Amino acid sequence: MSLLTIQNLSMVYANGHRALTSVSFTAEAGEIIAIIGRSGAGKSTLLRCINGLQRPTGGQIILDGDDVTQKSEAEWYQTRRQIGFIWQEYNLVDRLPVLTNVLTGRLGYTNGWGSLAGFFDRSHRAIAIRNLERVNLLERANQRADKLSGGEKQRVAIARAMSQEPKVLLADEPVASLDPELSMQVMGDLARVAREDNVLTLINLHQVPVAKAFADRVIGIARGEVVFNGLPSELDDVALDQIYRFDKLSSQAPSKQPAYA
Ligand SMILES: Nc1ncnc2c1ncn2[C@@H]1O[C@H](COP(=O)(O)OP(=O)(O)OP(=O)(O)O)[C@@H](O)[C@H]1O
Ligand SMILES: [Mg+2]
């Protein structure tokens, strides 16, 4: 049985817009999968359905044998700590020290801030410190998060997500705000720690070269459907054309150009 099975997943928004149409794929522990597709293809919708921020309108998401689409809000609270999330804009708490930000990754394992605020629990603190060390930011542990550069902030976000000890890590355009060189460095850190911990990682990416450099597998989405699911080496011009081709009949005019050049 696969760690993650997505079966006939569909998402129709309240305004009637169909963002996902019968998406199906499976994924295994430790795999790093890049999800690519033009703007509006449905990449973010897919990740939001997997982490429970959004209820799909049809289909199933089976995580480790558990159909999460059937869960109540209360049950989701337990499930969510198994799913780490990395945002394009980091989502750190600016005025808090770096280490405290990383410690918030442990909140799902505690009774809340009370036990974390004073660092009472040494085991949580040890996990946070170890993960900060893995992204080479331990010397910044006591600095306020807003004093960091973009690349450093994203590495703190990676340390926070890994401190959650998740089964699945989801990243939505994690390097879109960084320059190309920094993008490769941050992606390198993300891929390395995920592989070390055998965490299934799904990453929405706009840059095909970045996907090719770090992913074990690439899933291409166009107009809410999977149109490619294969190795990075199989991503040839025909596949790229299928993924990025502009559909003149579609009402989903792109808001930004695909960046696969
Ligand atoms: N809350 C919403 N209500 C209605 N339509 C929405 C909503 N959120 C997203 N959409 C639409 O669903 C489609 C898929 O959006 P989504 O954000 O998943 O695309 P994406 O592939 O992540 O795009 P991008 O690369 O620009 O981030 C788009 O056409 C978008 O406009
Ligand atoms: Mg998106």
Side-chain angles (χ1 to χ4, degrees):
M1 189 185 59
S2 297
L3 177 61
L4 180 69
T5 301
I6 309 278
Q7 210 157 9
N8 302 327
L9 193 72
S10 64
M11 179 69 210
V12 182
Y13 283 109
N15 65 359
H17 183 80
R18 179 174 285 276
L20 296 176
T21 304
S22 203
V23 166
S24 299
F25 62 89
T26 59
E28 311 302 329
E31 263 196 298
I32 296 186
I33 300 177
I35 298 170
I36 61 172
R38 65 184 316 134
S39 186
K43 304 180 298 295
S44 295
T45 300
L46 174 62
L47 293 197
R48 284 199 301 266
C49 286
I50 297 171
N51 78 359
L53 286 179
Q54 210 158 61
R55 290 245 170 213
T57 45
Q60 267 127 36
I61 299 170
I62 297 160
L63 176 60
D64 215 5
D66 207 8
D67 185 351
V68 299
T69 50
Q70 301 298 320
K71 285 185 185 297
S72 66
E73 268 311 309
E75 290 168 328
W76 253 111
Y77 183 78
Q78 287 300 319
T79 301
R80 208 164 269 134
R81 75 178 184 199
Q82 302 175 8
I83 305 173
F85 206 92
I86 294 174
W87 284 266
Q88 177 179 340
E89 294 299 339
Y90 328 118
N91 270 14
L92 302 181
V93 185
D94 281 344
R95 66 197 157 72
L96 290 180
V98 164
L99 183 61
T100 312
N101 269 280
V102 178
L103 263 171
T104 63
R106 302 298 301 164
L107 278 172
Y109 295 91
T110 70
N111 296 323
W113 277 99
S115 54
L116 280 181
F119 299 154
F120 293 139
D121 191 323
R122 292 167 136 219
S123 65
H124 293 306
R125 193 176 153 89
I127 289 168
I129 287 173
R130 187 176 69 85
N131 280 301
L132 209 44
E133 208 165 16
R134 294 169 87 194
V135 295
N136 288 316
L137 280 176
L138 193 53
E139 79 273 18
R140 305 295 191 96
N142 297 317
Q143 234 174 55
R144 270 174 62 132
D146 56 4
K147 296 283 182 279
L148 302 179
S149 70
E152 288 166 343
K153 283 182 182 171
Q154 199 57 302
R155 279 150 61 204
V156 171
I158 292 168
R160 175 180 59 188
M162 295 308 290
S163 294
Q164 235 177 290
E165 299 182 319
K167 286 182 183 156
V168 181
L169 187 57
L170 307 174
D172 198 351
E173 311 273 2
V175 295
S177 302
L178 306 176
D179 68 45
E181 196 186 327
L182 215 48
S183 293
M184 295 304 254
Q185 286 173 17
V186 169
M187 279 296 296
D189 279 329
L190 175 55
R192 175 175 48 80
V193 296
R195 284 204 172 93
E196 280 171 4
D197 289 6
N198 203 35
V199 175
L200 165 61
T201 305
L202 305 182
I203 312 172
N204 285 352
L205 283 172
H206 264 285
Q207 311 92 321
V208 171
V210 178
K212 283 187 162 175
F214 295 100
D216 302 314
R217 182 149 59 105
V218 175
I219 291 179
I221 297 190
R223 296 168 296 279
E225 289 181 54
V226 174
V227 295
F228 178 85
N229 184 351
L231 298 172
S233 59
E234 294 168 335
L235 207 53
D236 56 14
D237 287 349
V238 175
L240 285 171
D241 185 56
Q242 265 201 322
I243 298 165
Y244 287 104
R245 170 174 62 197
F246 179 55
D247 182 352
K248 291 194 178 65
L249 296 174
S250 170
S251 59
Q252 299 169 36
S255 59
K256 43 189 168 184
Q257 288 301 310
Y260 66 89

